[in-house]
DNA sequence: ATGAAAGCGCTAACAT
DNA sequence: ATGTTAGCGCTTTCAT
């Protein structure tokens, strides 16, 4: 089955044939392995050979084929990033940070979107087929996935999720502590009728925030006076706030489990119910997303320290490349209370 | 260099050895190529063999190695997505749409971020090394990149950018027409003192919007009464609007080249200058980003039809997989005028 | 420091 | 329909 000389390698090729290391070797008058070494940092090669090879490579417009390299070396330098729903105001920033840092570490981002309602399990086979060196995920995850990764030796880092029973490190913002600080802030300001607009039932993050808030309230002898679900969405939260604040004995402070809902609540207060913020009602959120700095909202909230979280995630992942059997590390990073004007900070003067 | 029998393939391996098609073939008692066919849609294989193979594959937890497949077939099913700055309120949605659609088409997204100030050229070598089947990009781009792609036979689709001189298709929202509609809307409402807050100097999109707006104004006999740069950013636009609206002969309408700047301008009008929107000043933007629907802004704007644009981009790319020499297609998609309450729509009753 | 050779896991031509 | 075989382009021993 020798192919007739001169014919371009098989009939298959669909793209312009790129120069290979063999071509470069031939032109430079060296062996193919020399070319390989030339493009491998730290390989032993003389300066003379190197420059000959580089010249030939340049002439042929050669660049190493990362796919072939992956196949033989078993390392792809690709990280699978699996996110639940990029549309959420929070994830774009995460992804931005993540891709910059991974790029800086010489790693590539293979992005996977888990459509609403599905979990990571559904995309996992695809991720694994591309021989990713590691995975960073913020999606829901089952034990099967953990087992998969372990079996394959693919390290996984959970971002703002935690699965103590799964092998894999995690990085989390301390939602509980952050929410507690907001509870303190409201109570210190003299609020006693405090309502809560919660996130989706299936979001651990939302749960943590609610738990942290309510626990601290209890610890200081205050009970929630109203609660509604807002699903992390503006419209739902606005409707919830509208009806909550429309009551005769309405709350005078509102904790929303994320910023987007807080914006909805503020708009409900001002435009639907006709209350002033913070004079009639204090409103606080969680995330410190872009619009919270805007003058129209100026939201008191807790900043998730994205840079630190992302740096930690990448760091943990890169570390685990070194030692395969690395024990799972858990990093809990405190959020920063950002006090703006949407909540009063002291009890009203005359009361 | 025969390796001693029984020893695990070389000393190199860093991850648990995964089952290969050879293992599956052996267990199923068929040839390795049969296994390959079994996992190739449309290949001819008997039902009996297929099920034998699938059973063996399941037992061994086998999945085809996409990297090896890429190497031999020359098709990676990976699309390089190159974006300039994901933090911009617009790109997250693009990326979301794009990744969903590409996933649905059986393609993977390899994400590249072009840090501020750089152009696509700087990341291009990396993209190409991974043998992507195609590229979708929204980053600045030079002729060299176009030449690169052409030479390599890698199709490229420009998203909201256009390079007529480069080989490659493009999908664009018709910024000029959209901006013209906003100009019409303001003039029809009786505005004659119209100001503009422009985008970054290096953004073609920003230029198109400004050009479309100003041209239509001129065509109807109106000249811009003020102009400032806002760099697509909230803070800068707010400052610009503050000084513009603080003048004695201030504009009574403002076009901001994107929504984010319009939010800044609205906040400046209301909170910095004490003007009512739209009673004292009409403000319009461009993009229809999330907060424009919020009650606090309720911004009149032009919606970039992301779904249509993204669908077109993926479609063009997939088409060009079929015919390598496909002529570049240019798709210009009209945006939709979204009339909300931030701009008045008729001349004031008594004037 | 360099070269020869093996082979990563797979697809696709060819032969049966 | 199935098996045989030749590589895809590279990294990595091993030998020199």
């Amino acid at each position: 089955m020798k192919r007739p000389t001169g014919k371009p390698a098989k009939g298959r090729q669909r793209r312009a044939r790129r120069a290979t290391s063999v071509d470069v070797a031939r032109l430079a008058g060296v062996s193919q392995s020399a070319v390989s070494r030339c493009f491998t940092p730290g390989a032993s090669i003389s300066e003379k050979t190197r420059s000959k090879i580089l010249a030939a490579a340049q002439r042929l417009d050669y660049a190493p084929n990362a796919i072939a390299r992956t196949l033989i070396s078993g390392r792809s330098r690709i990280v699978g990033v699996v996110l639940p729903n990029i549309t959420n105001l929070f994830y774009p920033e995460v992804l931005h940070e993540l891709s910059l840092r991974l790029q800086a570490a010489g790693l590539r981002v293979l992005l996977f979107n888990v459509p609403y309602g599905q979990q990571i399990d559904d995309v996992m086979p695809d991720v694994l087929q591309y021989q990713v060196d590691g995975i960073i995920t913020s999606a829901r995850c089952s034990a099967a996935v953990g087992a998969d990764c372990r079996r394959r030796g693919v390290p996984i880092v959970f971002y703002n999720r935690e699965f103590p029973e799964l092998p894999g490190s995690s990085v989390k913002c301390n939602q509980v502590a952050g929410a507690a600080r907001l509870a303190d802030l409201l109570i210190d300001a003299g609020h006693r009728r405090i309502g809560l607009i919660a996130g989706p039932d299936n979001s651990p993050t939302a749960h943590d925030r609610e738990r942290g808030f309510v626990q601290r309230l209890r610890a200081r002898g205050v009970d929630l006076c109203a609660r509604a679900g807002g699903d992390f969405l503006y419209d739902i939260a606005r409707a919830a706030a509208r009806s909550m604040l429309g009551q005769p004995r309405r709350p005078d402070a509102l904790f929303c489990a994320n910023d987007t809902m807080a914006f909805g609540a503020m708009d409900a207060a001002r435009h639907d119910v006709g209350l002033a913020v913070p004079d009639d009602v204090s409103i606080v959120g969680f995330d410190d997303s872009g619009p919270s700095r805007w003058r129209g909202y100026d939201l008191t909230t807790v900043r998730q320290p994205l840079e630190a979280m992302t740096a930690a995630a990448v760091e943990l992942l890169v570390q685990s490349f070194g030692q395969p059997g690395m024990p799972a590390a858990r990093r809990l990073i405190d959020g920063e209370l950002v006090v703006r004007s949407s909540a009063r900070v002291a009890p009203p003067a005359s009361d």
Side-chain angles (χ1 to χ4, degrees), chain A residues 196-245:
Chain A
L196 179 143
I197 299 186
D201 287 338
N202 60 23
S203 159
T205 299
H207 272 144
D208 284 355
R209 291 175 184 178
E210 177 163 0
R211 190 158 48 85
F213 188 80
V214 172
Q215 280 178 349
R216 179 60 54 93
L217 242 46
R218 289 255 168 72
R220 299 192 53 179
V222 177
D223 270 321
L224 225 46
C225 82
R227 180 194 186 280
D231 223 16
F232 276 170
L233 299 174
Y234 175 91
D235 286 317
I236 305 197
R238 180 174 164 196
R242 182 189 307 134
S243 86
M244 228 180 240
L245 297 175

Side-chain angles (χ1 to χ4, degrees), chain A residues 296-319:
Chain A
Y297 294 108
D298 206 44
L299 184 70
T300 291
T301 185
V302 170
R303 208 177 81 72
Q304 295 207 70
L306 286 200
E307 300 80 7
M309 290 166 64
T310 310
V314 172
E315 190 193 316
L316 286 175
L317 195 66
V318 169
Q319 276 177 11

Side-chain angles (χ1 to χ4, degrees), chain A residues 90 93-94 97-98 101 136 157-160 170-174 303-317 330-336:
Chain A
F90 173 66
E93 302 187 44
V94 173
E97 283 291 326
L98 222 39
R101 282 193 196 270
I136 296 180
V157 174
F158 299 105
Y159 195 97
N160 250 2
S170 70
V171 172
K172 252 183 74 170
C173 171
N174 194 339
R303 208 177 81 72
Q304 295 207 70
L306 286 200
E307 300 80 7
M309 290 166 64
T310 310
V314 172
E315 190 193 316
L316 286 175
L317 195 66
R330 320 217 160 266
R331 291 259 252 273
L332 197 60
I333 303 181
D334 271 330
E336 179 193 350

Side-chain angles (χ1 to χ4, degrees), chain A residues 177-195:
Chain A
R181 299 181 68 177
L182 291 169
D184 281 334
L185 180 125
L186 293 181
I187 293 181
D188 291 345
H191 290 295
R192 291 298 178 271
R193 300 194 47 77
I194 301 176

Side-chain angles (χ1 to χ4, degrees), chain A residues 124 128 132-135 141-158 163-169 320 323-330:
Chain A
M124 213 54 191
L128 260 7
V132 295
D133 282 352
I135 294 173
C141 187
S142 77
V145 168
D148 254 37
C149 291
R150 147 136 319 183
R151 201 175 328 114
R152 306 244 139 101
V154 178
I156 184 166
V157 174
F158 299 105
F163 301 93
E165 72 281 6
L166 298 187
S169 304
S320 63
Q323 54 259 65
M326 199 184 84
R330 320 217 160 266

